[in-house]
Amino acid sequence: MSLDHGFRIDVTSTDIRLAKARWLAAWISDASNESVSDLCEEYAQLAMAKPIADEVRRPKLRLVKG
């Protein structure tokens, strides 16, 4: 069964750094608590997603019985 639904989202280290910068900028500004919380959640989700996706895409060794 294929999990490919015809779309792909790439999360880069740059995306994660930018999300963190947006969150921290909101945190030190007069942004609402809701906005800061949303940006923190976005950062956390991106930071968790990248290593999981990298592991899934890593080529796997296949043993061949000879």
Side-chain angles (χ1 to χ4, degrees):
M1 178 161 101
S2 174
L3 296 179
D4 182 9
H5 298 288
F7 63 91
R8 176 180 168 147
I9 299 172
D10 291 314
V11 176
T12 66
S13 296
T14 301
D15 295 326
I16 295 169
R17 282 193 301 274
L18 289 173
K20 183 177 183 180
R22 286 191 302 269
W23 164 53
L24 291 175
W27 183 63
I28 62 173
S29 73
D30 290 333
S32 68
N33 287 341
E34 182 180 359
S35 179
V36 173
S37 180
D38 289 347
L39 290 167
C40 180
E41 182 69 22
E42 176 185 322
Y43 165 62
Q45 288 176 350
L46 289 173
M48 287 186 291
K50 187 171 185 323
I52 293 169
D54 290 346
E55 179 63 29
V56 169
R57 288 191 292 260
R58 179 176 298 147
K60 307 291 190 266
L61 294 177
R62 294 184 182 198
L63 299 177
V64 178
K65 293 184 179 181

